[in-house]
Amino acid sequence: MTEPIVTFKDVHKSFGDVDVLKGIDLEIKPAEKVAVIGPSGSGKTTIIRMLMTLEQPTSGDIFVGDQNLWKMEKNGEFVAANEKHLREVRGDIGMVFQHFNLFPHMTILENCMTAPIHVKKEAKKVARQRSIEMLEKVGLGDKLDNYPSQLSGGQKQRVAMARALVMRPKVMLFDEVTSALDPELVGEVLEVIRDIAKEGEMAMILVTHEMDFALDVADKVLFLDEGVIAEQGSASEVIEHSKNERLQSFLHRFRS
Amino acid sequence: MITISAIEEIFPALMKGINITITVLIASAFFGYLFAFIAGLCRLSNNIVLRKFTGFYVEIFRGTSLIVQLFWLYYAIPILFGIDLGSDWWAGVIAIALNYGAYMSEIVRGSILSVAKGQSEAATALNMSRFQRMRLVIFPQAVRMMLPEFGNYLIQMLKATSLVSLIGLHDILYYGDILRSSNLSQAPIVYLLVLVFYFILALPLIFLTRKMESISKKGVAS
Ligand SMILES: Nc1ncnc2c1ncn2[C@@H]1O[C@H](COP(=O)(O)OP(=O)(O)O)[C@@H](O)[C@H]1O
Ligand SMILES: [Mg+2]
C-alpha cells in the first residue's frame, strides 16, 4: 500500500458567510492522475488553490506526504503555519493557471530559469540548460528569447507548464488550463499534458471541462457539486456509467 | 530695451547660478526617489505603526506648501531642535526631497499594488519567498509603471529648485533677482532669460521622460 502524496481531511472553506467547500476528503497517490469536474462555482479552483497555499482552509487538514501543510508543530502543539513552513511543504507542488500568469518582464527562458536559480539555488548554467531542455520538450525551443507578449495563448500556456516542470514537483495542479484559449489552440496544450502524464512519475490534479481528455488521461475522476465530492471513481465509471442525476445533467451540457 | 549688449551682460551673470540649480536638482531628485521608495514600501508593510507613521508623513508634506516647509526647515528646525542641517544648500535639498518624496511615494505604492495578483500567485506557486516575489516579480514590473511619472516629477522638481533663492541660495533665479534690483528697466529681459534657462534645462528631462515612457511600454502588458 503506497502512502498518499496528498491527503485532504474534512476540509472546509468559506468566503465570508458563503460555504464553498463543506467537507472534502481526498487521497491522491504518487503518480496518480485525478481529474476534477463540476459546475462553475462548485469550488474546483478553491480546492487546488488551498493545496498551492494561495487560499487558507477554514477548517480541516491538508497533508503533503506526511506533513501538515497549514499547521506546524510548536512546543508540542499545532499552530498556524508560518511562511517558512509553507515554503518547506509546498516545494513539492507546482501549478499551471487558467490565465498563464507568465512574468511579462522576462523572456520565456528567464521565466523558466528564475525559480530554479533563486529558489532551488541551482547553478545558473544548470538551470539554463534544464530550462532550455524543458522548453524544447514543450515545442518552444526556438522562442527562448521571446517575451510572453510575443506568443500565442497556446504557446504561453506551454511556457507556463515548462516553468512549473523545471521545479520538478511531485504534484502538479492544472486549473482549467485550456479554457482561456482559442478553440484551435486547445489541442496543442492538451497534447503536452498528455505527454507529461504518460511519463508517469508525477501526480496530477486536473480541473477540466474536457471530458474526452479526462477519460484519456485520468486514473480517477471527482465530480464536485454543492461543496462536496458527489461522485468519484475511475474515469469511465464517473463519466460514462454514473447514475447520479446531477452529474448526468452536468455532463449532458458537454456532450453534443 | 532688448539689446544684444544687454543679453551679453545678463547671460553670464545668470550662468553663475546654474551650478546651484543643477546640484540642488540632482541631490533632491536622488533623495526624493529614495524617500519615495522607502515611504512607498513602508505604507505597504504589515507593521501598522510603520504604516501609520509614513501615512502621516505623506499627508503632512502633501497637504502643506513646499515654500513653508522650506522656511520651516531653514529657520525653525535649528531654533527648535538645535539641529543644524549644515548649510542652506542641505535645507533646500531636504525640503524638496521630502516634499516630492511624499508625492512620489504614492506612485511607488500605487504601482506595486497595480501589479496583477496572478503575478504574485505564480511566484508563490514557484515557491518563492515573500521577499523574492517582491524583488524578482512585483518590483521590476512596478518600476516600469513608475518611470514616466518619475520623469514628470523630475521636471517639476527642477522648477521647484527656484524656491531655494528665497533662503539665499545663489541659483539662477537669485542672480536674476540681483540683476533686476540693480536695474529695474531690465526686468522683462532678465526674467525672459531666466525662463529660457529653465526651459533649456528642462529639455533633456522632457526627452528623458519620453524615453522612460517608451521603456515602460515594453514588456509590461502580458
Ligand atoms: N477570493 C474569493 N472571495 C470570495 N468568494 C470567492 C473567492 N474565491 C472564490 N469564491 C467563490 O467561491 C465559489 C467557488 O469558486 P471556485 O473555486 O473558483 O469555483 P470553480 O473553480 O469550481 O468555478 C464561487 O462561488 C466563488 O464566487
Ligand atoms: Mg475555476
Side-chain angles (χ1 to χ4, degrees):
Chain A
M1 207 36 217
T2 47
E3 293 302 314
I5 180 80
V6 170
T7 311
F8 279 60
K9 283 192 179 150
D10 196 27
V11 173
H12 291 247
K13 175 68 186 175
S14 19
F15 292 103
D17 39 315
V18 185
D19 297 330
V20 174
L21 296 172
K22 305 165 188 166
I24 300 293
D25 288 283
L26 178 62
E27 278 192 1
I28 293 166
K29 297 276 164 28
E32 196 173 22
K33 320 294 183 234
V34 179
V36 181
I37 61 173
S40 157
S42 58
K44 307 180 294 296
T45 298
T46 305
I47 286 187
I48 60 176
R49 282 173 61 85
M50 289 190 301
L51 184 51
M52 194 66 261
T53 74
L54 300 174
E55 213 77 73
Q56 186 165 11
T58 312
S59 68
D61 294 292
I62 299 174
F63 294 87
V64 178
D66 57 3
Q67 283 188 291
N68 194 323
L69 180 61
W70 284 100
K71 289 173 193 165
M72 59 180 196
E73 226 178 320
K74 199 177 173 188
N75 309 326
E77 275 178 72
F78 278 97
V79 296
N82 59 16
E83 162 105 3
K84 181 165 169 280
H85 176 88
L86 290 176
R87 282 194 80 194
E88 261 168 44
V89 184
R90 72 172 172 228
D92 287 334
I93 320 271
M95 179 161 175
V96 183
F97 298 82
Q98 188 171 351
H99 297 287
F100 331 126
N101 297 354
L102 293 181
F103 305 133
H105 58 299
M106 299 181 189
T107 65
I108 69 166
L109 181 57
E110 289 163 349
N111 261 276
C112 293
M113 58 190 266
T114 299
I117 292 170
H118 289 95
V119 176
K120 296 208 145 179
K121 312 292 179 200
E122 272 179 29
K124 199 171 167 189
K125 242 166 90 183
V126 177
R128 188 184 157 83
Q129 193 51 41
R130 294 204 310 109
S131 299
I132 292 173
E133 278 162 23
M134 201 56 83
L135 284 164
E136 277 166 356
K137 196 161 134 185
V138 300
L140 292 168
D142 56 338
K143 301 267 188 224
L144 301 179
D145 296 323
N146 284 59
Y147 282 86
S149 58
Q150 298 166 310
L151 304 183
S152 73
Q155 291 171 329
K156 283 182 200 171
Q157 199 56 296
R158 286 186 279 147
V159 174
M161 280 190 263
R163 180 177 71 173
L165 286 169
V166 286
M167 293 299 280
R168 299 195 169 118
K170 291 188 183 141
V171 185
M172 182 97 134
L173 314 175
F174 298 80
D175 189 10
E176 292 193 35
V177 294
T178 57
S179 48
L181 300 177
D182 294 334
E184 71 270 21
L185 301 176
V186 169
E188 66 186 60
V189 171
L190 293 184
E191 200 54 45
V192 172
I193 302 178
R194 214 173 257 128
D195 288 346
I196 302 168
K198 295 272 141 68
E199 279 174 22
E201 66 263 38
M202 196 172 61
M204 294 163 64
I205 305 180
L206 305 124
V207 174
T208 184
H209 289 306
E210 305 282 340
M211 297 306 153
D212 293 331
F213 175 70
L215 271 173
D216 187 18
V217 303
D219 304 312
K220 183 159 89 180
V221 174
L222 312 177
F223 173 58
L224 199 64
D225 189 32
E226 304 197 304
V228 294
I229 297 174
E231 192 83 14
Q232 62 177 308
S234 74
S236 97
E237 276 166 8
V238 174
I239 296 175
E240 290 177 326
H241 303 295
S242 168
K243 301 274 181 299
N244 183 316
E245 270 181 34
R246 287 185 58 95
L247 173 53
Q248 291 200 333
S249 81
F250 166 75
L251 287 171
H252 192 72
R253 278 180 273 146
F254 291 94
R255 300 272 172 205
S256 39
Chain B
M1 262 304 285
I2 297 177
T3 62
I4 299 295
S5 71
I7 292 177
E8 274 173 353
E9 178 193 335
I10 295 163
F11 194 84
L14 293 179
M15 255 334 247
K16 286 189 283 178
I18 209 159
N19 184 28
I20 288 289
T21 296
I22 289 179
T23 56
V24 169
L25 173 66
I26 290 172
S28 28
F30 173 81
F31 287 105
Y33 292 139
L34 187 69
F35 294 161
F37 277 112
I38 294 172
L41 290 171
C42 282
R43 291 199 79 183
L44 294 169
S45 140
N46 287 331
N47 184 324
I48 182 155
V49 179
L50 208 55
R51 228 166 43 224
K52 292 273 175 216
F53 179 77
T54 38
F56 182 70
Y57 151 66
V58 170
E59 293 316 326
I60 289 288
F61 276 84
R62 290 201 311 168
T64 60
S65 88
L66 172 55
I67 190 156
V68 179
Q69 291 160 19
L70 182 65
F71 284 165
W72 197 71
L73 277 169
Y74 183 64
Y75 294 108
I77 290 252
I79 295 172
L80 288 179
F81 303 107
I83 299 171
D84 188 354
L85 287 173
S87 72
D88 30 8
W89 187 85
W90 275 108
V93 165
I94 296 297
I96 296 170
L98 282 173
N99 183 276
Y100 281 90
Y103 279 101
M104 294 190 298
S105 73
E106 288 293 285
I107 298 168
V108 172
R109 176 166 161 268
S111 302
I112 288 173
L113 286 177
S114 68
V115 174
K117 196 157 154 271
Q119 291 291 305
S120 164
E121 293 184 346
T124 303
L126 293 167
N127 208 10
M128 289 186 199
S129 68
R130 190 196 296 266
F131 183 66
Q132 286 170 336
R133 295 200 291 270
M134 182 54 94
R135 179 169 65 93
L136 301 168
V137 176
I138 313 286
F139 203 67
Q141 295 182 57
V143 167
R144 281 173 175 77
M145 286 186 246
M146 296 171 203
L147 286 179
E149 289 288 337
F150 274 7
N152 284 328
Y153 273 103
L154 191 56
I155 297 167
Q156 290 198 38
M157 273 190 270
L158 167 65
K159 295 184 270 183
T161 59
S162 63
L163 293 178
V164 299
S165 64
L166 296 171
I167 56 168
L169 276 176
H170 298 187
D171 73 335
I172 295 171
L173 184 59
Y174 174 88
Y175 284 109
D177 284 338
I178 299 268
L179 285 170
R180 185 256 305 142
S181 57
S182 62
N183 186 350
L184 194 58
S185 66
Q186 275 196 341
I189 176 72
V190 167
Y191 287 121
L192 181 68
L193 279 178
V194 170
L195 287 176
V196 170
F197 259 78
Y198 278 108
F199 185 67
I200 289 171
L201 286 177
L203 274 179
L205 305 185
I206 292 169
F207 182 75
L208 188 71
T209 305
R210 296 256 166 82
K211 183 108 188 142
M212 286 172 167
E213 268 163 13
S214 69
I215 290 174
S216 81
K217 280 201 193 92
K218 244 186 283 170
V220 170
S222 59

